[in-house]
C-alpha cells in the first residue's frame, strides 16, 4: 500500500488522480435509448398508480413512462417538469427506493421495481440536451415577489411564479445558485456541473432576476422585503450546524460534514483535497453517508459512521447504507460521542453505547481519528423571522407563515422530510397560493 495512504493526519493526494476520478464517476449513468425502451416496457401503466401517490411532487409516472415507450422522451420530460421543475436533479438524488419504486407493483410481485428514477433522468436529460425549455412566461401581472434562497424550494417557487407572469427577484447568500443541489450533494451523484446547468436551463423561463451574495439579515431585512415586494417566499434552508456538545469538540480536525461536502463539490482538483487517514462521521442521515463515502473515495484508510440510535432508525435509506458498506465504510449504531481527545488536534473520539431510549449503558470505546465530521443536523439562523414551530418556521399546508405576505418552504420550514423532491413540491405549492392570494 502507498505510504501516502498510511500517513497520519489530514493530507491531500492519498490516491492517484486517476483512481479518484474513477471513484467519483457518475453513480448511475444515463440509460441509452435501447435501455430506456427496455426499462419502460416493464411498466404496467397502472390505473391509480401507487408510484404517483408516493411521489411528493405527484408526477404522473405511468404517463411519462408510456411516452418514453412510444419514443417521445421530450413529451415525457414535460410531463415530469410540469410537476417537478427540478426533475433532472431529483432523478439523480431522490431516494426512489423508499418512495415511488418501493411501492411499484413490479417490486411487490418480483422484488425488482421499474427503474423510475433512471427513466426520469433519461427523459429530462434528453430535453435539456436539446436546449429546449417547454414553459413560457405568462402575460405580466405587475406583481413583484422576492424569493429568498436559490435552493430547490426557492428555484421551484420562482419558476412557477414566473410562469404565471410575475416578476421574481431571487436572492441567495452564496456565490452560486442551487443551494444543496450545488453545494450539499455527493459529487458522484451530480457530475459534470449538472446543478449549475439545470439552474441555467430553468432561468430560460424569463422574469427571474438573480442576486447572488445577498444574505437575509446581513444585506437585507425581511421587513424591507415586505415593504418593497408584493409577497416574499423564504426558502433559505438551514445555515447553522449542530455542535457535538462534548468536551474537546473544538479541537482541530473536528469539522462540519456539510462544509466538507461543499468544498469537495466546488473543488477543481479532487486529488488536491486533504482528508484524514482515520475519519469518523457522526450522524445517520444522507449527509453522513455522503461525507463518509467521499472521504473513502479520496483515500481515507479507515472511515466509520457512528449513529446514536439503531440501524433501522437511520435517516439514510437502506440503499445508502449498503452503498457506504460497499465502499468500505464501517457503520456503528447505538453509540453517542462523549469526548474528543487530542493535544490541540483530534487523535481519538470516545463513545458510549446507548439503549433504544438513548440511555447510556456505561460501556465506552474509543476510535482513532484525525478527522471528525459532524452530520447531526442543522439549525435555522436569523432574526425577525415569522413564528417558529420548534426550530423551523411554522407554516400551514400552503406555506403561509404567521406574517401576512410571507410564505416559506424547504428545509427552513416545519413539516416535510428534508428531501429535495419535497422542497420542490413545497416551493411549487407556495407559488400557486401566492398567485391566488395576489390575483384574488
Amino acid at each position: 500500500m502507498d505510504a501516502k495512504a498510511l500517513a497520519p493526519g489530514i493530507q491531500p493526494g492519498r490516491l492517484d488522480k486517476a483512481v479518484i476520478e474513477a471513484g467519483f464517476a457518475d453513480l448511475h449513468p444515463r440509460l441509452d435509448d435501447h435501455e430506456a425502451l427496455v426499462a419502460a416496457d416493464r411498466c404496467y401503466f397502472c390505473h391509480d398508480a401507487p408510484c404517483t401517490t408516493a411521489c411528493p411532487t405527484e408526477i404522473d409516472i405511468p404517463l411519462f413512462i408510456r411516452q418514453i415507450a412510444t419514443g417521445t422522451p421530450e413529451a415525457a420530460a414535460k410531463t415530469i417538469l410540469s410537476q417537478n421543475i427540478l426533475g433532472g436533479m431529483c432523478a439523480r438524488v431522490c431516494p426512489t427506493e423508499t418512495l415511488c419504486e418501493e411501492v411499484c407493483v413490479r417490486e411487490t410481485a418480483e422484488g425488482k421495481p421499474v427503474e423510475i428514477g433512471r427513466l426520469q433522468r433519461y427523459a429530462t436529460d434528453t430535453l435539456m440536451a436539446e436546449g429546449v425549455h417547454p414553459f413560457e412566461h405568462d402575460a405580466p401581472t405587475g406583481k413583484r415577489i422576492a424569493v429568498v434562497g436559490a435552493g430547490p424550494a426557492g428555484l421551484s417557487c420562482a419558476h412557477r411564479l414566473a410562469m404565471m407572469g410575475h416578476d421574481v427577484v431571487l436572492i441567495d447568500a452564496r456565490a452560486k445558485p442551487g443551494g444543496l443541489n450545488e453545494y450539499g450533494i455527493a459529487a458522484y451523484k451530480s457530475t459534470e456541473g449538472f446543478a449549475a446547468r439545470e439552474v441555467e436551463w430553468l432561468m430560460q423561463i424569463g422574469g427571474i432576476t438573480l442576486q447572488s451574495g445577498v444574505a437575509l439579515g446581513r444585506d437585507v431585512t425581511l421587513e424591507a422585503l415586505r415593504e418593497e415586494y408584493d409577497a416574499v417566499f423564504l426558502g433559505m434552508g438551514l445555515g447553522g450546524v449542530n455542535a457535538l456538545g462534548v468536551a474537546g469538540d473544538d479541537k482541530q480536525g473536528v469539522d462540519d460534514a456539510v462544509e466538507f461536502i461543499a468544498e469537495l463539490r466546488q473543488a477543481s482538483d479532487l486529488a488536491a483535497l486533504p482528508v484524514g487517514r482515520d475519519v469518523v462521521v457522526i450522524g445517520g442521515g444522507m449527509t453522513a453517508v455522503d461525507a463518509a463515502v467521499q472521504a473513502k473515495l479520496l483515500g481515507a484508510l479507515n472511515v466509520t459512521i457512528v449513529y446514536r440510535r439503531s440501524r433501522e432508525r437511520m435517516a439514510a435509506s437502506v440503499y445508502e447504507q449498503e452503498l457506504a458498506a460497499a465502499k468500505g465504510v464501517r457503520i456503528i449504531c447505538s453509540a453517542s460521542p462523549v469526548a474528543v481527545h487530542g493535544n490541540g488536534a483530534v487523535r481519538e473520539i470516545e463513545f458510549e453505547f446507548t439503549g433504544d431510549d438513548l440511555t447510556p449503558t456505561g460501556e465506552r470505546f474509543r476510535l482513532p481519528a484525525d478527522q471528525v465530521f459532524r452530520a447531526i443536523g442543522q439549525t435555522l439562523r436569523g432574526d425577525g423571522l415569522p413564528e417558529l414551530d420548534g426550530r423551523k418556521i411554522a407554516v400551514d399546508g400552503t406555506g403561509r407563515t404567521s406574517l401576512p405576505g410571507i410564505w416559506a418552504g424547504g428545509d427552513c420550514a416545519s413539516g416535510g422530510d428534508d428531501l429535495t423532491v419535497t422542497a420542490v413540491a413545497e416551493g411549487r405549492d407556495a407559488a400557486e397560493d401566492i398567485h391566488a392570494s395576489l390575483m384574488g
Side-chain angles (χ1 to χ4, degrees):
M1 184 175 290
D2 195 306
K4 288 183 179 179
L6 297 174
I10 303 173
Q11 299 187 21
R14 290 188 176 274
L15 296 175
D16 290 338
K17 187 171 183 177
V19 175
I20 291 177
E21 289 178 352
F24 281 90
D26 203 337
L27 185 62
H28 297 297
R30 174 185 167 179
L31 299 171
D32 63 28
D33 293 343
H34 176 70
E35 290 171 331
L37 289 174
V38 172
D41 191 52
R42 295 189 66 243
C43 183
Y44 285 136
F45 310 117
C46 305
H47 177 66
D48 294 332
C51 55
T52 295
T53 303
C55 175
T57 53
E58 299 178 322
I59 294 170
D60 190 336
I61 294 171
L63 174 59
F64 94 68
I65 294 180
R66 186 183 296 276
Q67 289 167 322
I68 291 175
T70 55
T72 55
E74 296 85 358
K78 188 167 183 179
T79 296
I80 295 162
L81 297 164
S82 63
Q83 290 293 102
N84 180 347
I85 196 59
L86 298 180
M89 181 60 80
C90 288
R92 288 161 165 80
V93 305
C94 194
T96 53
E97 65 276 0
T98 61
L99 294 172
C100 53
E101 292 178 10
E102 183 178 58
V103 299
C104 175
V105 174
R106 285 281 195 180
E107 168 68 20
T108 304
E110 305 169 7
K112 183 180 179 182
V114 175
E115 293 184 282
I116 298 169
R118 298 188 75 189
L119 286 168
Q120 179 169 313
R121 173 174 174 177
Y122 170 77
T124 53
D125 280 10
T126 299
L127 185 72
M128 287 182 62
E130 296 176 0
V132 174
H133 192 90
F135 306 103
E136 296 180 355
H137 189 281
D138 208 346
T141 63
K143 303 294 185 181
R144 298 177 70 240
I145 297 103
V147 174
V148 181
L155 289 169
S156 175
C157 182
H159 186 273
R160 186 56 60 108
L161 289 168
M163 277 181 60
M164 294 184 287
H166 304 297
D167 286 332
V168 182
V169 175
L170 184 59
I171 298 167
D172 196 83
R174 291 189 181 264
K176 295 181 182 179
L180 287 178
N181 288 355
E182 176 64 41
Y183 292 96
I185 290 170
Y188 52 78
K189 295 178 181 177
S190 176
T191 59
E192 300 176 340
F194 180 77
R197 290 190 289 114
E198 187 175 47
V199 172
E200 183 179 357
W201 173 86
L202 179 149
M203 297 287 280
Q204 291 178 23
I205 186 68
I208 304 173
T209 302
L210 174 64
Q211 295 182 1
S212 298
V214 178
L216 184 67
R218 183 190 69 197
D219 305 302
V220 65
T221 66
L222 184 57
E223 188 57 39
L225 293 177
R226 291 182 71 192
E227 293 179 1
E228 184 176 354
Y229 295 91
D230 295 294
V232 178
F233 175 79
L234 301 176
M236 61 281 190
L238 301 171
V241 178
N242 294 330
L244 292 180
V246 301
D249 65 356
D250 58 347
K251 292 187 183 299
Q252 183 180 345
V254 180
D255 301 307
D256 297 335
V258 291
E259 290 303 320
F260 169 65
I261 295 170
E263 182 182 6
L264 193 152
R265 280 294 303 275
Q266 301 305 307
S268 58
D269 182 6
L270 292 175
L273 280 180
V275 70
R277 181 184 66 180
D278 300 300
V279 176
V280 176
V281 182
I282 302 172
M286 297 292 193
T287 299
V289 170
D290 283 356
V293 170
Q294 292 184 114
K296 192 68 178 176
L297 294 176
L298 288 174
L301 184 63
N302 301 301
V303 180
T304 306
I305 292 175
V306 184
Y307 178 54
R308 62 179 181 159
R309 298 186 186 275
S310 66
R311 188 129 180 185
E312 293 73 24
R313 298 183 68 176
M314 288 182 70
S317 67
V318 172
Y319 170 81
E320 292 284 338
Q321 295 175 40
E322 292 176 348
L323 174 66
K327 297 298 183 182
V329 175
R330 179 171 57 158
I331 299 176
I332 298 175
C333 293
S334 300
S336 294
V338 293
V340 178
H341 300 286
N343 185 16
V346 59
R347 288 293 175 264
E348 290 184 321
I349 180 163
E350 184 175 0
F351 294 89
E352 184 169 18
F353 284 114
T354 57
D356 290 341
D357 59 355
L358 299 182
T359 302
T361 64
E363 183 180 358
R364 296 190 176 192
F365 64 95
R366 294 190 183 195
L367 294 176
D370 40 35
Q371 195 167 32
V372 174
F373 291 119
R374 295 179 292 245
I376 51 178
Q378 294 178 270
T379 57
L380 180 64
R381 287 178 175 172
D383 299 319
L385 296 174
E387 181 180 320
L388 302 183
D389 178 5
R391 297 183 178 182
K392 297 186 176 185
I393 298 171
V395 295
D396 66 10
T398 57
R400 295 192 184 197
T401 73
S402 60
L403 297 178
I406 308 293
W407 282 255
D411 287 352
C412 71
S414 61
D417 45 18
D418 296 336
L419 295 176
T420 298
V421 66
T422 303
V424 171
E426 291 172 354
R428 177 201 66 195
D429 294 347
E432 295 284 356
D433 195 57
I434 291 170
H435 176 74
S437 176
L438 294 180
M439 306 308 292

